[in-house]
């Protein structure tokens, strides 16, 4: 047993005062008696036996003191079986991941956890401190060790659910680090799972409590969403959605495809398509919607279902740009390349001779045909028969008929392409920096390499197309199509689909530029776009559309969705493994800290009544 | 505090009822009890012979057996033969008249005076001399030894208006008595023996000489068995000294033990000096006590 308000035990000093008052106030009734001789002797005997006889005889005083002691104890708020209520430095890790928004407990898992944490803060004993850490995809120290209840409570109040995934590892590491500097540390984790086994081992001395939030895993959610080109309809896309039913029974639900209200174009959100799908318990289902082709920037997929976790019932999709990819070919004339690039309806090809080339700025992709620009700005480049102007990079000597021995069969550029039958009559010996990646390798020299720098992606071939039969092969136009696709997908301007917690990469602007980011909730963040490098934006804990509005130019949409099978599976975890230790979860940390002031107060009342009874009886005798 | 309220006026010392009982007792005593005792006593007191001492005029009520019929025959006058030993049997009643006696229900002092009167009555009826001393600190009242049944009225007049005054000082009173005592005899010291100066010296003084001493301790029922409750300030009737007590079963038990030990102590002290010790409750039937207790002690049979 311990006391939550041990200061109240100072009320005990009132006990001697009552005794003193009693001694002073004791009204003795005068009684004449023949002789006090024997009484005097008797008293001496009595005092020899019991030193506090005077007090012992007074049942009233005893009862009054009992009332006083009981009340003092009650005011001191004793708790029984106080798990973790010794004097400790508590580190409280709060899971704020998407699944904590589940409403299987009222009002939500996170709110319930906050209530419990609030109780822990209220019960904070003297000399104790609490550190608050919230974690989802990333961990944040909300409040360093503090014993100020008001600060802790207001910090606790500020904890909001995110739409992110769970990563306990970082938070746990943070907690372990913080624990090292504190006496008697203790870690309490409020979570519902959604994280994998921790590699970190716990200090066996340090108590770790795991409060398992949530009751059940009644949830259906979107675990994956993506766009791909519709090969049947030129310039259009398909949206694939994978839905997982993590509840215990099979579900039949409607999946709606909606257009989002777009303030830019003034279009209102409408249901474009709807499908009914039935999903067995614990199974996923994948649906493919066709792009309605209205040149809509963003679409939303919404599940028409009532479940515990609403946040994963919708996902937004930002379709790749509809406007053509601008390609610049710097060449003295290359029929095959121009032909291959023009075959792709998404591209708008410009050709410029090397002596007229000034800059590739403004183009999505630049192709240098046997021409090395003196300087390479940010961008996506293809070098044919030459290499980018990097140090340690160049072509020297000739190789005849190099035999292709290997190629990267998994790289998106040349995936599914048959390269072994390519015949190269003459190639140049290629010198590569150590960070260069070989895509096609011959027995004597790399034939195709990938060179990625911070702001540029270059693909280089070490041979002239006219010195090979590649343009005649089927793999040639596909390569160029892949090239444009892949370049666009690595272009920060191309990627618009993120998971919550991801870092958004805003494209570099021409000059430093102020911009506003509108979050899905309507909040705005001011940022500055940098000219050379992509601007990173990490405040992506909300699900939905993020709108980047630069001071000049068009707004760009980005979609962040909770794309996580772990979060969608809201079945609460009851234990977890840290290193070699199994940590069992408890449902309610407050339940183990029963305050017992009220029985004490009740007992005090009873004793008080008894005291009154004794007093009235005594008065009857004495008066 | 007020002795006027102790009932000495309203309630006669010897009520007719009580006198009747005493008469019965006297009749019993008359059956030679005193005589036998006297004989025993006499044998102890060798030297003081059974000789004829004197004549005196017959007065009504005298025992006819002691009439000198020869004289009557010669002088035609009634004379009573007086014997030495009869003159010698003195009964002294020493009555503690301290304030502590004026306590209890029934009042100890009242009972003590009744007791004294009753004994005097018996003794007077038995032709013994009765002297009464009333003692308290700094005060001694002496009723000179007298004889003859007619004296009882005087004795009652002496006892009836007597008030309890002063502190207990048995030794001092005893010394006063010893100064006045001319002959040895039966001495009854009637007191509660609550003497802060100690009762021992007094009894020792009395037991010296050829006296037959009775220590008669009279206690009221609430002294023997206190019925007290709560927090009290006990005031000594004599000294007004307070003693604060909070009554508990434990304290009452200790008091009883103390009292028993006190009585035992007196009893032991008396036994060692050939003194008869007797405890009388003030609510006891006096006639019964006198007949039973004194028979046990051999004073009456």
């Amino acid at each position: 047993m311990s006391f939550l308000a041990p200061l109240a035990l100072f009320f005990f000093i009132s006990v001697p005062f009552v005794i003193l008052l009693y001694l002073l106030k004791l009204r003795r009734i005068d009684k004449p008696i023949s002789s006090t001789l024997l009484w005097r002797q008797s008293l001496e005997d009595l005092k020899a036996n019991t030193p506090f006889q005077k007090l012992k005889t007074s049942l009233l005083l005893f009862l009054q003191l009992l009332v006083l002691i009981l009340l003092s104890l009650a005011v001191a708020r004793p708790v029984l079986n106080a798990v973790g209520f010794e004097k400790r430095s508590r580190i409280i890790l709060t899971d704020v991941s998407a699944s904590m928004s589940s409403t299987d407990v009222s009002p939500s898992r996170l709110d319930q956890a906050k209530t419990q944490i609030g109780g822990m803060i209220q019960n904070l004993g003297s000399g104790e401190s609490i550190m608050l850490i919230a974690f989802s995809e990333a961990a944040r120290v909300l409040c360093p060790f503090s014993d100020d209840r008001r600060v802790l409570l207001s910090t606790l109040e500020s904890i909001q659910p995110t739409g992110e995934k769970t990563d306990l590892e970082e938070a746990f590491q943070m907690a372990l680090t913080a624990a090292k500097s504190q006496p008697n540390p203790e870690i309490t984790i409020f979570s519902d799972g959604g994280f994998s086994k921790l590699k970190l081992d716990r200090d066996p001395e340090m108590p770790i409590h795991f409060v398992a939030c949530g009751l059940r895993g009644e949830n259906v959610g979107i675990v994956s969403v993506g766009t791909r080109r519709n090969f049947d309809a030129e310039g259009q896309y398909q949206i694939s959605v994978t839905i997982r039913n993590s509840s215990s029974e099979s579900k039949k639900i409607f999946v709606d495809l909606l257009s989002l209200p777009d303030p830019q174009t003034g279009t209102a959100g409408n249901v474009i398509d709807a499908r009914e799908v039935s999903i067995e318990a614990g199974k996923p289902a994948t649906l493919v919607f066709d792009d309605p082709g209205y040149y809509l920037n963003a679409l939303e997929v919404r599940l028409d279902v009532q479940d515990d976790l609403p946040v994963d019932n919708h996902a937004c999709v930002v379709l790749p740009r509809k406007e053509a990819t601008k390609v610049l070919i710097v060449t003295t004339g290359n029929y095959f390349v121009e032909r291959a690039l023009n075959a792709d309806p998404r591209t708008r090809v410009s050709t410029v001779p090397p002596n007229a080339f000034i800059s590739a700025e403004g183009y999505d992709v630049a192709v240098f045909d046997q021409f090395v620009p003196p300087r390479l700005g940010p961008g996506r480049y293809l070098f044919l028969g030459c290499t980018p102007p990097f140090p340690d990079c160049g072509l020297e000597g000739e190789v005849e008929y190099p035999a292709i021995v290997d190629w990267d069969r998994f790289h998106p550029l040349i995936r599914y392409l048959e390269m072994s039958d390519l015949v190269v009559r003459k190639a140049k010996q290629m010198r590569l920096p150590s960070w260069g990646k070989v895509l096609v390798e011959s027995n004597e020299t790399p034939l195709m390499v990938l060179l990625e720098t911070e702001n540029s992606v270059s693909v280089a071939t070490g041979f002239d197309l006219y010195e090979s039969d590649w343009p005649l092969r089927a793999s040639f136009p596909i390569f160029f199509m892949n090239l444009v696709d892949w370049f666009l997908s690595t272009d920060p301007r191309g990627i618009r689909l993120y998971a919550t917690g991801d870092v958004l990469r805003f494209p570099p602007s021409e000059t430093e530029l102020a911009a506003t980011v509108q979050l899905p909730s309507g909040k705005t963040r001011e940022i500055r776009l940098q000219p050379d490098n992509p601007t990173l934006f990490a405040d992506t804990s909300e699900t939905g559309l993020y709108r980047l509005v630069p001071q000049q130019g068009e707004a760009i949409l980005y979609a962040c969705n909770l794309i996580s099978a772990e979060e969608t599976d809201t079945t609460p975890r009851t234990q977890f493994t840290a290193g070699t230790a199994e940590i069992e979860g408890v449902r309610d940390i407050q339940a183990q800290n029963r305050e017992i002031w009220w029985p004490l107060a009740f007992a005090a009342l009873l004793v008080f009544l008894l005291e009154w009874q004794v007093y009235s009886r005594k008065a009857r005798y004495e008066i | 505090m007020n002795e006027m309220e102790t009932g000495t006026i309203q309630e006669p010392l010897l009520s007719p009822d009580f006198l009747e009982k005493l008469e019965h007792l006297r009749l019993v005593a008359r059956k030679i009890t005193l005589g036998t005792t006297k004989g025993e006593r006499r044998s102890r007191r060798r030297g003081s012979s059974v000789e004829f001492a004197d004549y005196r005029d017959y007065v009504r009520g005298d025992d006819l057996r002691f009439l000198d019929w020869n004289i009557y025959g010669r002088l035609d006058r009634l004379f009573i033969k007086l014997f030495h030993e009869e003159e010698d049997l003195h009964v002294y009643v020493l009555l503690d008249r301290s304030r502590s006696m004026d306590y209890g229900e029934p009042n100890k002092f009242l009972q003590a005076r009744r007791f004294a009167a009753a004994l005097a009555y018996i003794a007077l009826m038995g032709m013994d001399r009765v002297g009464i001393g009333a003692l308290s600190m700094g005060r001694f009242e002496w009723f000179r030894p007298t004889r003859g049944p007619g004296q009882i009225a005087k004795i009652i007049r002496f006892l009836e208006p007597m008030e309890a005054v002063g502190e207990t000082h048995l030794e001092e009173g005893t010394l006063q008595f010893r100064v006045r005592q001319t002959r040895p005899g039966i001495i009854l010291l009637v007191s509660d023996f609550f003497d802060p100066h100690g009762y021992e010296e007094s009894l020792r003084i009395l037991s010296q000489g050829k006296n037959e001493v009775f220590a008669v301790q009279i206690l009221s029922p609430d002294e023997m068995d206190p019925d007290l409750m709560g927090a009290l300030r006990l005031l000594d009737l004599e000294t007004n000294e307070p003693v604060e007590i909070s009554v508990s079963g434990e304290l009452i038990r200790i008091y009883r033990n103390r009292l028993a030990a006190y009585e035992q102590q007196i009893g032991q002290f008396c036994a060692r000096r050939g003194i008869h010790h007797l405890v009388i409750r003030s609510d006891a039937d006096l006639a019964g006590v006198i007949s039973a207790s004194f028979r046990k002690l051999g004073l009456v049979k």
Side-chain angles (χ1 to χ4, degrees), chain A residues 489-543:
Chain A
S489 72
T490 58
D491 185 345
R493 288 166 295 189
I495 310 173
R496 306 290 177 76
L497 217 47
Y498 288 88
T500 46
D502 280 354
V503 175
L504 301 184
R505 296 165 68 88
F506 295 144
S509 61
E510 287 171 21
T511 55
E512 193 173 319
L513 194 63
T516 308
V517 181
Q518 293 173 2
L519 304 187
S521 59
K523 292 179 205 159
T524 56
R525 300 273 186 277
E526 299 299 326
I527 59 164
R528 294 196 77 77
L529 296 175
Q530 301 301 316
D532 286 331
N533 298 318
T535 306
L536 307 182
F537 184 78
D539 192 1
T540 57
S541 59
E542 299 172 19
T543 61

Side-chain angles (χ1 to χ4, degrees), chain A residues 26 28-43 45-46 49 53 57 621-622, chain B residues 100 103 194 223 228 230-237 241 243-246 248 250-251 254-255 258-259:
Chain A
L26 185 62
R28 290 180 186 278
I29 295 165
D30 280 353
K31 169 125 178 109
I33 197 153
S34 58
S35 171
T36 52
L37 185 71
L38 289 178
W39 286 107
R40 226 179 274 279
Q41 292 171 352
S42 301
L43 271 186
D45 286 4
L46 195 66
N49 288 347
Q53 185 56 34
T57 54
Y621 273 113
E622 283 182 356
Chain B
S100 69
Y103 178 81
F194 290 146
E223 278 172 338
L228 300 176
L232 297 174
R233 195 163 68 142
L234 301 180
L235 295 174
D236 196 301
L237 274 178
E241 261 180 62
V243 171
E244 293 187 346
I245 61 162
S246 296
S248 66
E250 178 74 0
L251 183 64
I254 288 175
Y255 174 81
R258 266 281 163 193
L259 182 67

Side-chain angles (χ1 to χ4, degrees), chain B residues 36-49:
Chain B
T36 324
T37 319
K38 204 160 39 181
E40 282 169 4
R41 200 166 288 123
R42 196 186 300 142
S43 69
R44 254 196 255 150
R45 291 193 264 129
R46 261 187 295 265
S48 72
S49 65

Side-chain angles (χ1 to χ4, degrees), chain B residues 172-270:
Chain B
E172 188 195 289
T174 308
L175 284 172
Q176 291 281 340
F177 161 70
R178 281 296 266 188
V179 173
R180 291 167 176 81
Q181 185 188 20
T182 48
R183 288 167 188 274
I186 297 174
I187 304 173
L188 294 112
L189 177 58
V190 183
S191 170
D192 52 13
F193 287 89
F194 290 146
D195 186 350
H197 312 95
Y199 59 87
E200 292 90 346
E201 202 51 37
S202 155
L203 288 178
R204 194 177 292 123
I205 293 164
L206 290 178
S207 66
Q208 284 162 2
K210 290 163 183 165
N211 297 315
E212 175 114 25
V213 182
F214 288 80
V216 179
Q217 190 177 7
I218 188 156
L219 294 173
S220 70
D222 53 352
E223 278 172 338
M224 300 182 83
D225 205 0
D227 180 25
L228 300 176
M229 276 288 287
L232 297 174
R233 195 163 68 142
L234 301 180
L235 295 174
D236 196 301
L237 274 178
E238 294 178 6
T239 61
N240 233 16
E241 261 180 62
V243 171
E244 293 187 346
I245 61 162
S246 296
V247 180
S248 66
E250 178 74 0
L251 183 64
I252 296 291
R253 196 180 58 75
I254 288 175
Y255 174 81
R256 284 203 189 117
N257 287 347
R258 266 281 163 193
L259 182 67
Y262 193 62
E263 284 172 10
Q264 198 186 0
Q265 193 189 352
I266 297 174
Q268 198 176 31
F269 183 87
C270 292

